[in-house]
Amino acid sequence: MRKRASRTIRDPMGWIKARTPLADAQQCDLGIAYHMSLRAMLTGQGSEQAWSTLACALNIAVILCEQGVCAGALQTIQLAQDALISCRKRAHRLGKYAFSGDEARMVMRACAIHDEQVSFSTRGQVVHALEEVNRRIEIGAIA
């Protein structure tokens, strides 16, 4: 007779995929949206959508820092988030989404760090970071 015990059925390929680094094409796909948004903001053609895409990328960067991926860059990313907030406040006042010089430098640094993070991250870390950003948005911890 067969024993009846609660067992967790594990997917070996899922386990492997979660620990595999992102392929170059995946890294490129992740970066295209926020790099296009960054370019729009730098050229004065930004929009709320471009701003939001950059904010999402930097939120993911914070979570990756918390996971230990480029953890020493957390303060730089947080300063870039502050720059995004001040840009948004100005855009609501003036009606145009564009960076000041200091804001542009901070956000460009943070995007470069995020590019580096993505090159070091595994699929599992990126998926976890996306899930955590969504969870924090739902509970109101991130605007």
Side-chain angles (χ1 to χ4, degrees), residues 9 34 38 51 53 73 101 115:
I9 298 173
Y34 69 85
L38 178 60
W51 181 91
T53 300
D115 288 339

Side-chain angles (χ1 to χ4, degrees), residues 58-120:
L58 294 185
N59 287 338
I60 292 167
V62 167
I63 304 300
L64 288 172
C65 280
E66 291 173 0
Q67 290 179 4
V69 182
C70 299
L74 182 61
Q75 184 178 10
T76 302
I77 295 168
Q78 289 172 333
L79 289 171
Q81 286 180 315
D82 293 342
L84 279 175
I85 297 296
S86 74
C87 174
R88 185 177 195 190
K89 288 178 182 175
R90 188 175 51 258
H92 284 201
R93 214 175 50 247
L94 303 176
K96 184 173 181 179
Y97 281 86
F99 290 135
S100 70
D102 289 337
E103 292 168 349
R105 282 187 285 282
M106 288 308 304
V107 174
M108 286 181 357
R109 267 190 223 132
C111 284
I113 291 166
H114 187 50
D115 288 339
E116 188 177 342
Q117 285 178 318
V118 169
S119 71
F120 293 141

Side-chain angles (χ1 to χ4, degrees), residues 17-22 60 63-64 67-69 117-118 120-132:
K17 284 181 183 177
R19 286 153 182 81
T20 306
L22 293 170
I60 292 167
I63 304 300
L64 288 172
Q67 290 179 4
V69 182
Q117 285 178 318
V118 169
F120 293 141
S121 299
T122 64
R123 287 181 180 187
Q125 288 172 313
V126 173
V127 167
H128 177 266
L130 287 166
E131 290 170 350
E132 182 62 15

Side-chain angles (χ1 to χ4, degrees), residues 36-48 50-51 54 84 87 97-99:
M36 287 178 59
S37 296
L38 178 60
R39 179 174 294 275
M41 296 290 286
L42 292 172
T43 59
Q45 298 176 3
S47 63
E48 186 168 358
W51 181 91
L54 286 170
L84 279 175
C87 174
Y97 281 86
F99 290 135

